[in-house]
Each structure stands twice: as C-alpha cells, then as structure tokens.
Amino acid sequence: MAVIYLIRHGQASFGKENYDQLSDLGIKQASHLGSALKSRGIQFDAVSLGSMWRHEQTAAHCLEMIEDQVRSLDENKNPGWNEYDHQEILRVYRPEFATAEKMTDFIRRQPDPKSFFETEFNAAIDRWIGGQYDDEYQETWKQFSARVHQAFDKAITDNPQARSIAVFTSGGPISLVSQALLGVPPEQIMRMNWTLMNCGVSKVVTTGHRKFMATLNEHTHFEGESNKHLITYT
C-alpha cells in the first residue's frame, strides 16, 4: 500500500505577468505545511513535482521543514504535473484578457469583480473542455488529461517500494485526478478546483491496482485564529 500526497502549491502571483512564483505568503504557507507534516511524523519515501517554479518553491520550503538534509529536486521533476495554461485559455476566450494587466483592469471595472471573474473563468474553461475549438489551443483538454494521468501512474510505478509519495503540483492536476477517482463529470471539475486551497493536501491510497481518495483538500494545518490568515485560493 502507498499513500500519494497531492499538494497544491502555495499562493502564486495572480494578476501579475509572471504568475509562476510564490508570494511571500505562499512561502509561509509551504513552510507551515512542512512543519505541520513533521509534527505528525510524516516522512516521504519519494517526491515528484511539476517543472513550474511555484512547484519547486513549494517543495523546497515544505521539505526544508521536514527533512534533515536538502533533497535534490531536479531529478524528480515531471512536466506532466504542470498546470494548464490558464492565461492562454483566458486570452483565447476574450480579447480583454489578452494580458494580465488588461484582465486585471477590466475585471476591476465590473460591478462585482469577484463574481464576474469566476463566471468568465468557468466559461473559458468550459469552452476549452468542450473540444470544439481544439485548434485554437496549444494544449487541448484531452492532451492535458492524458499527461496528468500519465504523471500520476509514473509517480507510482517509478517508486514501487515507497509507502509515502509527495507530489507538488497545481489545482488543475489535483482536480483531474480527484475527479476521475470520485466519478465527477468533467464539466463539474471547476466546482472542485475553486475549493482547493493553497498548500492543501489531497491523499490517494493505492493498493495494487485499486486507487481511492482518502482525503480531499485537507487543510487542518491552517485552522485556528493564529493560522487562518494563511488560507488562500490563488
């Protein structure tokens, strides 16, 4: 039996041209998660992570709090765990989202910016998932799904003796794996994705050919008055 810990990255730099880096709060989230895991006696026999900078930053700050010596991460990177390109999906959907700066300005001018963006983001994702406009995207929904499932299987097959495997990735891949195991329709995947917290932990247990979700979006490490400021979703 093995337990795969699917760990979402810490808070990134949403609304910036370079989204792919942790904010100061994101670094604190990753370190706090590592401390919480260590206090529970959790050690990882193997680690896998996407090749994005926010994945590496999250892994480094988390593992620094758990392990006595720094683990080399380069050899454990797998681009299959990378997030879909939300910026491209938004750009294709409407011209007002052509750049992060234009998008932020456009959203800010709406009567209810938060609700407006959530509605528009969901519509952009639905268009991508639908498959009718695949020729407009660098990576289609089917291609994204295939590489994430391949990365998940590889994390298990490459570490046959591991009892505990950490995967540092993003909300999209975590939602996709969870959606498949829980039998959630693909068109409902964003309802799951919106709920995933930064540095939340979702556990998959595998016993031979059987895999099942043990926890989804576990975040008790951020509960309580002293830690609630660490709860974010971007």
Side-chain angles (χ1 to χ4, degrees):
M1 184 182 82
V3 179
I4 298 92
Y5 292 76
L6 301 174
I7 300 170
R8 190 185 177 207
H9 62 78
Q11 185 188 61
S13 300
F14 184 78
K16 303 289 182 64
E17 288 301 333
N18 182 16
Y19 174 78
D20 190 25
Q21 57 182 345
L22 296 190
S23 65
D24 291 341
L25 182 60
I27 292 173
K28 292 178 182 177
Q29 290 168 332
S31 296
H32 184 80
L33 171 61
S35 295
L37 293 174
K38 183 175 183 178
S39 71
R40 288 155 54 183
I42 294 175
Q43 296 283 330
F44 297 120
D45 301 318
V47 171
S48 182
L49 65 151
S51 62
M52 293 178 153
W53 180 226
R54 60 187 182 273
H55 299 156
E56 182 172 355
Q57 285 179 297
T58 302
H61 287 286
C62 178
L63 296 175
E64 182 181 31
M65 306 304 294
I66 298 175
E67 302 177 342
D68 295 329
Q69 61 184 42
V70 178
R71 184 193 297 245
S72 174
L73 295 175
D74 286 341
E75 60 189 24
N76 299 311
K77 290 179 181 177
N78 183 346
W81 285 117
N82 288 356
E83 183 63 286
Y84 52 75
D85 188 346
H86 74 278
Q87 292 173 317
E88 182 198 44
I89 293 170
L90 288 169
R91 282 196 303 270
V92 170
Y93 177 64
R94 62 185 306 163
E96 293 88 350
F97 296 159
T99 67
E101 183 179 6
K102 287 183 178 180
M103 180 183 71
T104 301
D105 180 63
F106 184 69
I107 293 171
R108 189 184 294 120
R109 290 187 276 111
Q110 305 307 311
D112 185 348
K114 184 176 184 298
S115 177
F116 173 81
F117 177 71
E118 184 172 331
T119 299
E120 292 297 282
F121 191 89
N122 287 342
I125 293 293
D126 286 345
R127 185 181 189 274
W128 177 55
I129 290 176
Q132 293 176 296
Y133 307 96
D134 282 354
D135 60 318
E136 298 181 18
Y137 301 98
Q138 292 293 316
E139 180 179 52
T140 67
W141 164 256
K142 288 184 178 180
Q143 291 169 335
F144 169 71
S145 300
R147 70 166 167 84
V148 170
H149 286 304
Q150 288 171 2
F152 180 71
D153 291 339
K154 182 175 174 57
I156 297 171
T157 57
D158 282 2
N159 302 286
Q161 304 304 317
R163 295 292 187 90
S164 180
I165 303 171
V167 173
F168 294 90
T169 180
S170 294
I174 295 173
S175 295
L176 185 66
V177 171
S178 303
Q179 169 250 329
L181 293 176
L182 295 173
V184 177
E187 58 269 19
Q188 298 295 322
I189 194 169
M190 285 311 298
R191 296 183 66 181
M192 181 180 294
N193 202 1
W194 282 114
T195 69
L196 298 183
M197 294 183 181
N198 295 117
C199 284
V201 181
S202 299
K203 291 195 298 185
V204 177
V205 175
T206 175
T207 56
H209 295 293
R210 185 167 177 254
K211 305 178 185 69
F212 60 91
M213 293 297 301
T215 65
L216 178 64
N217 198 32
E218 191 268 308
H219 56 276
T220 53
H221 43 285
F222 292 150
E223 291 181 340
E225 284 297 316
S226 61
N227 295 318
K228 66 179 183 180
H229 68 287
L230 295 172
I231 295 177
T232 63
Y233 297 86
T234 58

